Amino acid sequence: GTVEIQAEMEDMAGNISRKVQNWEADFTGPVVTADWKGTQNQGYFLGNGSLILHVKERNFSPNDCQVGWKAYPDSFQKGVSWTKTGSDEYVAEIPFSYDGTYEVEISGTDIVGNALTVEHQGIIGRFLWKVDGTKPEIIVEGVEDGEIYNDTLQLKIRLSDNNLEQKQEQVNLV
């Protein structure tokens, strides 16, 4: 908070001096919170979306905040652009648009050196999420669609997807 000191002094000759001085005490670091924009299903994002970062801090400077992000399997890193949206509020958006695992790491301080913290579902300093906009692939071998058979068949059914749990695989023949 803001601290003000007011001092007044008079010497023996009657000369009077007055001094008012203000300064700010800040012992709290910036807090980054996050929102997601996009369609989510059990922790997976279905295609395009964004991670929106928010900071509300009087002494925040985007220059003192490092945001690195990667997308796997095609690894790359970028910074973010912070936009001032209010007197003490900043927003940055990290888009995601293709399948893979995304990771964002955030660190930094405010202008007086107080450490930044990240608050989102108990995660501190790092976000990790997956994007899957690709439908699973089902391949049936040993029969042709629309054909008629009168013999024993040996079928092979393959299920393929980057985010498929084997215990959830199920094939029903009707």
Side-chain angles (χ1 to χ4, degrees):
T2 300
V3 179
E4 179 178 280
I5 289 195
Q6 297 179 9
E8 185 175 310
M9 183 176 180
E10 183 175 348
D11 65 13
M12 299 296 286
N15 297 309
I16 299 174
S17 289
R18 290 184 182 87
K19 179 77 174 184
V20 176
Q21 192 159 342
N22 295 295
W23 75 88
E24 186 176 324
D26 180 359
F27 301 104
T28 306
V31 176
V32 176
T33 58
D35 294 319
W36 303 96
K37 186 180 359 173
T39 305
Q40 221 183 130
N41 182 26
Q42 298 179 7
Y44 287 83
F45 285 85
L46 306 172
N48 297 342
S50 297
L51 175 65
I52 313 294
L53 303 174
H54 303 271
V55 175
K56 185 169 184 176
E57 161 73 28
R58 182 175 181 169
N59 295 313
F60 177 74
S61 169
N63 296 331
D64 296 325
C65 179
Q66 295 78 45
V67 180
W69 60 289
K70 304 174 195 171
Y72 306 96
D74 301 322
S75 187
F76 59 92
Q77 293 189 341
K78 290 186 177 183
V80 296
S81 294
W82 290 96
T83 302
K84 192 169 185 174
T85 59
S87 63
D88 299 337
E89 297 175 22
Y90 296 81
V91 173
E93 183 171 355
I94 298 172
F96 47 87
S97 58
Y98 63 91
D99 290 6
T101 300
Y102 289 74
E103 177 181 13
V104 173
E105 291 189 20
I106 305 167
S107 63
T109 63
D110 62 14
I111 60 174
V112 295
N114 296 313
L116 175 145
T117 58
V118 176
E119 289 184 2
H120 180 70
Q121 299 174 344
I123 300 169
I124 306 245
R126 183 172 169 240
F127 295 92
L128 189 64
W129 71 97
K130 290 190 177 215
V131 174
D132 183 359
T134 305
K135 293 180 181 180
E137 183 180 16
I138 302 170
I139 299 170
V140 179
E141 295 175 351
V143 293
E144 295 296 322
D145 192 30
E147 293 294 318
I148 299 172
Y149 299 91
N150 66 353
D151 200 1
T152 303
L153 299 172
Q154 188 170 7
L155 300 177
K156 187 175 187 181
I157 300 171
R158 289 187 298 168
L159 307 174
S160 175
D161 190 79
N162 288 333
N163 298 303
L164 189 64
E165 287 187 42
Q166 287 186 353
K167 65 183 178 186
Q168 292 181 340
E169 294 176 7
Q170 183 176 345
V171 176
N172 296 319
L173 298 176
V174 234

